[in-house]
Amino acid sequence: MALAVFGAATAVDSRLPLSCAPTADPECAARETAGLVPATHTAHAVSSGLATAGALVALVALTAAARRYGQWPPLARTGPVLVVLELAATAWTLAAVAAFEAGKGIWSLGAGQRLQVLLVAVWLAVLALSLLREER
């Protein structure tokens, strides 16, 4: 279910682009603070949050299942490291968002988000490899 939430929220997220980049454009940040940006900014934040939550739950649950039941050896071996890295990247992203909203800089928010996406993609590839090997 969590993997489905991640996929659906990611699809919705792709349809809700920001009209401007608040972390890169001070005018955009001021408009966002004043509530003068389209509602898609809020909707994008909600869909991104749901996608992240779905990904985190899927990573943890399926990795734990692989280890507990002795299935999907590639995921059982590498999943825990990917989970820890994903949690660290998510903490970085959340801290950067909090710093930005408090006016303390952006703390390389974009890099944190890119790392999150990369780690989920790697984890999905490991899951796919695990499932492919199971069929053989």
Side-chain angles (χ1 to χ4, degrees), residues 54-73:
L56 287 173
V57 170
L59 265 75
V60 170
L62 291 172
T63 298
R67 292 182 62 80
R68 180 175 183 183
Y69 299 111
Q71 293 189 343
W72 310 328

Side-chain angles (χ1 to χ4, degrees), residues 2 5 7 16 19 27 34 36 43 50 63 65 68-69 74 94 127 133:
V5 167
L16 297 169
S19 63
E27 283 184 33
L36 300 174
L50 286 172
T63 298
R68 180 175 183 183
Y69 299 111
L94 291 173
L127 175 63
R133 286 190 177 173

Side-chain angles (χ1 to χ4, degrees), residues 18-39 41-42 97-106:
L18 300 178
S19 63
C20 58
T23 57
D25 179 1
E27 283 184 33
C28 177
R31 286 197 322 265
E32 190 172 73
T33 301
L36 300 174
V37 292
H41 280 242
T42 301
V97 167
F100 174 71
E101 289 180 354
K104 305 288 184 190
I106 60 169

Side-chain angles (χ1 to χ4, degrees), residues 16 21 31 37 42 45 48 53-54 58 66 77 92 114 127 131 136:
L16 297 169
R31 286 197 322 265
V37 292
T42 301
S48 292
R77 275 191 311 274
W92 172 8
R114 286 173 182 86
L127 175 63
L131 294 173
R136 292 182 183 163

